[in-house]
Amino acid sequence: MSGRAVAVVGATGAVGEELLALLASRRFPVRELRLFASAPCSGQRVAWGGREHVVGPLAPGCFAGVDLAFFAVGADVAAAHAPAAAAAGAIAIDFSTAYRRDPGVPLVVPEVNAAALRGHRRLIANPNCSTILLTLALAPLQRAAGVRAVVVSTYQAASGAGRPGIEELRAGIAALARGEALPAAVAMPQVLAGNLFPHVDAFGDDGWSGEEDKLQEESRRILGLPDLRVDATCVRVPVERCHSESVAVSLQRPLDRAAARAVFAAAPGLAVVDDLAVARYPMPNLQTGRDEVAVGRIRTGRVFDPGLTFWLVGDQVRKGAALNAVQIAELI
């Protein structure tokens, strides 16, 4: 029989839904689809491929006969079940932090380091969403002029905290519009409506957050630059979808604005949106639902010499999560 038996763990979440939509729109060869989620969501029905599929619980033997398993779940669930999927013969693509630091597990952005998939052992890590967006822009700069160090501030959407983050933002905005007291923060550490805060992931004893650590550690692996210095500040902003990043790069060789635009324009996965005369630059409301990451406000740096400064926006639910994983599956 043609096609693959595909499992999606976390099928009812925001990323799981995006993943299912992409499998359909990109006509991924799915012969059989199995959907799994946490116990409260078990039993739900999801329409896909012209029929309804019942979401089931993770149980012993549930991956028997599965060729490809996507894990759009937290690290605890992935660590507990992805090895079982691989042992059953499936290729497991994990979205969580469970295996990103494991040197034996490829950490892959297909446009950047597809060669890392060679020799995989049926377990592949999908990078952090902010890292995916950043490395798509850094990789062509590394090839053209060499990258020495990066200073990046991220402006991360509520959907980075999952569906509860979106619902919490919407409830807060509605309360503001009615002139009511804002509901307490539950999905995020602070109220986000009418606010922003520099707190994405837990803080370490050194004052850096887990999200900020990921930007350095994962970028080093993906770009093959083990000594790359990345100074990051990650901020949650009251936007539903799409992460934005302000990036300043220290280069090894000079690269002027025109040359940088050409480098970005030729890079896979990027789109140059940079026409200041008509106020055209990347924004979340333009990138939502788009595959590419938009780069704009490109200019020669004033701190790093040689250096480059730019702004990027990407749909972190799509390219920063679901699409990246589907592209990995397509390559395999």
Side-chain angles (χ1 to χ4, degrees):
M1 295 178 68
S2 62
R4 305 288 185 268
V6 176
V8 177
V9 183
T12 59
V15 173
E17 289 183 355
E18 189 79 11
L19 179 62
L20 289 170
L22 283 164
L23 289 173
S25 66
R26 294 173 74 90
R27 298 185 179 183
F28 192 85
V30 178
R31 168 174 51 83
E32 177 190 354
L33 182 66
R34 301 185 199 177
L35 305 182
F36 302 98
S38 59
C41 298
S42 183
Q44 289 187 18
R45 293 179 177 272
V46 174
W48 192 90
R51 68 184 185 89
E52 286 193 335
H53 300 260
V54 178
V55 178
L58 291 168
C62 67
F63 295 110
V66 169
D67 299 304
L68 179 66
F70 295 97
F71 284 83
V73 290
D76 291 346
V77 176
H81 296 280
I91 294 172
I93 300 176
D94 175 36
F95 293 66
S96 79
T97 60
Y99 298 100
R100 290 179 187 159
R101 294 184 177 184
D102 187 332
V105 177
L107 182 69
V108 178
V109 177
E111 297 91 338
V112 178
N113 66 330
L117 288 169
R118 295 176 189 148
H120 71 80
R121 294 178 289 184
R122 296 191 174 276
L123 187 57
I124 298 159
N126 207 40
N128 173 261
C129 52
S130 299
T131 305
I132 291 173
L133 307 184
L134 179 63
T135 55
L136 277 171
L138 293 183
L141 292 181
Q142 166 62 16
R143 292 191 295 270
V147 172
R148 294 191 302 186
V150 180
V151 176
V152 54
S153 293
T154 70
Y155 303 80
Q156 301 188 209
S159 51
R163 192 183 307 283
I166 297 174
E167 293 172 352
E168 193 164 289
L169 175 60
R170 288 177 177 174
I173 291 172
L176 281 175
R178 293 190 299 264
E180 299 173 355
L182 290 168
V186 177
M188 294 173 281
Q190 305 289 345
V191 172
L192 188 57
N195 192 29
L196 57 81
F197 46 84
H199 187 173
V200 183
D201 209 337
F203 293 120
D205 293 338
D206 57 2
W208 294 96
S209 74
E211 189 84 353
E212 291 156 359
D213 287 341
K214 292 170 203 171
L215 276 164
Q216 174 165 275
E217 295 165 6
E218 295 180 20
S219 295
R220 286 175 168 179
R221 282 197 66 190
I222 294 163
L223 296 169
L225 299 173
D227 298 321
L228 178 67
R229 293 168 292 158
V230 179
D231 203 335
T233 300
C234 294
V235 182
R236 190 75 72 191
V237 296
V239 171
E240 281 199 14
R241 189 152 157 162
C242 287
H243 289 355
S244 305
E245 301 182 12
S246 173
V247 188
V249 183
S250 172
L251 300 172
Q252 294 177 352
R253 299 177 295 279
L255 191 69
D256 65 25
R257 185 183 180 195
R261 286 170 60 93
V263 166
F264 287 138
L270 295 182
V272 174
V273 181
D274 193 29
D275 189 347
L276 303 185
V278 293
R280 186 170 177 265
Y281 33 70
M283 295 184 291
N285 64 357
L286 297 178
Q287 289 308 116
T288 295
R290 293 183 176 271
D291 291 350
E292 71 277 2
V293 172
V295 180
R297 293 296 319 279
I298 302 163
R299 53 212 190 271
T300 302
R302 291 179 172 175
V303 174
F304 297 126
D305 186 14
L308 192 74
T309 298
F310 57 93
W311 171 257
L312 66 80
V313 178
D315 188 330
Q316 94 290 351
V317 178
R318 195 171 181 91
K319 177 51 186 172
L323 176 59
N324 197 79
V326 172
Q327 288 174 307
I328 289 171
E330 290 170 342
L331 284 173
I332 294 169

